[in-house]
Amino acid sequence: MSRIGKKPITIPSGVTVTVGKDNVITVKGPKGELKQPIDRDIIVEVVDNEVLIKRPTDQIRHRAMHGLYRALLANQVKGVTEGFKAQMELVGVGFKAANTGNTLDLALGYSHNIIFEIPSEIKVATLTEKGQNPKILLEGVDKQLLGQVAAKIRSLRKPEPYKGKGVRFVGEVVRKKAGKSAGK
């Protein structure tokens, strides 16, 4: 059995999990509602305050999906109760971030500013303090969407290996290379 797949997901108070037709799981909570289609072979049962995920056979395909769907549902339950956050910082001279609503305006050292439209499911805030790198704070219920948006913002200017300039997650360690002068 999958070690992750056989763990039951405990449902906190205020959260409802329903199994719809075509194996679509709906998770409703205080912060929002999420839906997740599940493969027709995987069996999802809601018993008392727990969600159990079972697989019909020990085929490689079923074993792979067993843990995957358990993790996806656990992330959804956590998302509708607590939510997820991502913090990013802009490292570099003249790098700036500003937002109006869900539109992010980034100055990343190119000849033009980058206007990035953030999906309505995610809340964005920018923070600029004197002596600190500008920060972008992302908050949302859907872990997958939040990670995808954060990765897209990071890809606009990845941290380069010589000076470490670029967009990175707070706490991310960028391995630096020695420059040309290191050979002398």
Side-chain angles (χ1 to χ4, degrees):
M1 283 296 267
S2 165
R3 279 184 287 171
I4 294 172
K6 67 182 175 185
K7 280 186 186 174
I9 303 168
T10 55
I11 303 171
S13 61
V15 176
T16 58
V17 178
T18 55
V19 182
K21 60 180 181 181
D22 296 335
N23 246 9
V24 175
I25 311 297
T26 307
V27 182
K28 289 183 187 174
K31 291 203 174 222
E33 176 182 340
L34 293 171
K35 291 180 189 258
Q36 176 67 47
I38 297 224
D39 191 88
R40 57 184 157 72
D41 292 343
I42 300 296
I43 303 149
V44 179
E45 296 174 350
V46 181
V47 182
D48 297 330
N49 276 356
E50 290 184 334
V51 179
L52 302 169
I53 290 95
K54 296 179 181 170
R55 62 177 188 234
T57 66
D58 272 348
Q59 290 178 11
I60 292 173
R61 183 173 159 275
H62 290 156
R63 289 196 324 235
M65 289 188 297
H66 190 204
L68 167 77
Y69 285 123
R70 191 259 175 216
L72 291 177
L73 290 176
N75 283 339
Q76 288 189 333
V77 169
K78 184 179 177 191
V80 296
T81 53
E82 302 167 26
F84 292 100
K85 293 179 181 161
Q87 290 186 338
M88 307 180 85
E89 62 182 344
L90 281 58
V91 179
V93 177
F95 286 13
K96 293 182 182 113
N99 72 306
T100 45
N102 268 19
T103 305
L104 195 59
D105 187 5
L106 300 168
L108 297 176
Y110 296 118
S111 61
H112 58 283
N113 282 7
I114 297 170
I115 308 294
F116 189 81
E117 194 66 39
I118 295 194
S120 60
E121 296 91 10
I122 294 178
K123 294 180 192 137
V124 64
T126 53
L127 184 68
T128 308
E129 294 178 7
K130 190 172 174 104
Q132 297 279 339
N133 292 324
K135 288 188 174 50
I136 302 169
L137 310 169
L138 299 170
E139 195 174 334
V141 202
D142 191 349
K143 188 176 185 179
Q144 293 175 355
L145 182 64
L146 184 76
Q148 187 176 358
V149 169
K152 181 65 179 165
I153 291 171
R154 185 180 185 274
S155 75
L156 297 173
R157 181 72 123 182
K158 286 185 181 169
E160 52 97 12
Y162 296 102
K163 291 183 180 176
K165 290 170 35 174
V167 180
R168 65 171 85 160
F169 293 99
V170 171
E172 179 182 351
V173 177
V174 177
R175 289 182 57 196
K176 293 187 181 171
K177 291 182 178 179
K180 288 182 186 177
S181 61
K184 293 181 183 177

